């Protein structure tokens, strides 16, 4: 239930922050808000749909690649102008 979700989200947070316990100043309220939002959504009868996920991930990866390509081009231009 809720306790297992909280533990999982806190573990994820600590994993993403390299285990920095000081990050829980931000992480704990973030986890609490995420759990509250999930509980409220379930109370309204909302459910998570995974069908849109592949399209979202494809668009996200495309945008990341395009942005990286643009940044690399700008860096290359700057480096080409330097001795």
């Amino acid at each position: 239930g809720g306790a297992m979700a909280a533990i999982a989200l806190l573990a994820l947070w600590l994993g993403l922050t390299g285990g920095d316990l000081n990050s829980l100043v931000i992480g704990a309220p973030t986890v609490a808000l995420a759990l509250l939002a999930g509980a409220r959504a379930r109370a309204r009868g909302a459910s998570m749909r995974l069908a849109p996920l592949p399209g979202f991930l494809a668009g996200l990866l495309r945008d990341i690649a395009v942005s990286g390509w643009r940044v690399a081009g700008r860096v290359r231009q700057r480096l080409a102008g330097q001795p």
Side-chain angles (χ1 to χ4, degrees):
M4 290 303 292
I7 291 169
L9 288 174
L10 285 172
L12 175 64
W13 180 271
L14 289 173
L16 292 172
T17 60
D20 181 8
L21 295 179
N22 291 325
S23 72
L24 290 175
V25 170
I26 299 293
T30 301
V31 166
L33 287 172
L35 291 170
L36 178 63
R40 291 182 68 183
R42 280 190 304 280
R44 289 191 316 266
S47 63
M48 180 180 267
R49 295 177 301 132
L50 296 179
L53 189 60
F56 168 77
L57 291 176
L60 178 65
L61 291 174
R62 183 194 67 233
D63 290 348
I64 289 170
V66 168
S67 297
W69 188 260
R70 288 179 181 166
V71 169
R74 289 183 187 134
V75 169
R76 188 182 64 227
Q77 286 176 347
R78 281 195 180 172
L79 291 177
Q82 294 180 3

